[in-house]
Amino acid sequence: AQTVTQSQPEMSVQEAETVTLSCTYDTSESDYYLFWYKQPPSRQMILVIRQEAYKQQNATENRFSVNFQKAAKSFSLKISDSQLGDAAMYFCAYVSMKTSYDKVIFGPGTSLSVIP
Amino acid sequence: GAVVSQHPSRVICKSGTSVKIECRSLDFQATTMFWYRQFPKKSLMLMATSNEGSKATYEQGVEKDKFLINHASLTLSTLTVTSAHPEDSSFYICSARTGTGRFHSPLHFGNGTRLTVT
């Protein structure tokens, strides 16, 4: 079974600085997607960025970028120029394209604090 | 963008009663919806996959007789917590995907329902 691990339960970053959140996953499959979701105090889940496993190029979305290392099964999220609104729980997520139900597996989450 | 509406956002009920939570896709059709449960400061745990017009698929350890799921149309799935007990108190979140297939689209989430059983 696939698993997603986030080894940093809590992280903090100074406003305007850069922070990297770690994520590793375990799978025997080659075709899958990876996501980072953000959950602010409102509890609304918000998609931050996604990566297709068949693409070698790392995904970027404005201040958010990933470092996808398929062989190492690593998928870290880098937040540049951190803003107060970035404070939230961040969940790394995996979905296999092999299963018919497209089940998404979430990591345990990293709580990010942004210090003014 | 795709919007998923979940109702109610908060509900308090007495032990032994049943509670229904609705999840609607407002501007797209969702043949599949997902129900998650989230404990405080924890991750999302998939409870079941709701399929339009067929029975839901429950994850291991989830009581299907306690958590009834009905996906009667392409835009509505409901989760009914039957004979609720205090241990059922939690945050429940539904989600849906706008597309399927290789060009995978991400999940769109409802705002969640905080259930408190007294």
Side-chain angles (χ1 to χ4, degrees), chain B residues 67-80:
Chain B
F67 298 101
L68 299 179
I69 292 173
N70 183 22
H71 196 151
S73 76
L74 287 171
T75 59
L76 175 64
S77 175
T78 60
L79 168 68
T80 301

Side-chain angles (χ1 to χ4, degrees), chain A residues 31 33 35 37 39 42-45 47 50 54 89 91 95 97 101-104 106-109, chain B residues 34 36 38 42-44 46 51 57 59 91 93 97 101-107 109-111 114:
Chain A
D31 200 6
Y33 287 83
F35 303 88
Y37 281 91
Q39 188 180 42
S42 66
R43 306 294 290 271
Q44 174 69 51
M45 294 288 285
L47 175 67
R50 72 169 179 170
Y54 62 87
M89 281 289 288
F91 295 101
V95 60
M97 294 312 296
Y101 296 122
D102 293 335
K103 186 165 68 175
V104 179
F106 287 91
Chain B
F34 304 89
Y36 291 87
Q38 187 180 28
K42 296 294 184 183
S43 187
L44 281 70
L46 180 65
N51 303 297
T57 303
E59 294 301 302
F91 192 69
I93 310 176
R97 183 172 293 119
R102 183 172 179 82
F103 297 99
H104 182 84
S105 60
L107 290 175
F109 288 84
N111 287 340
R114 179 173 298 285

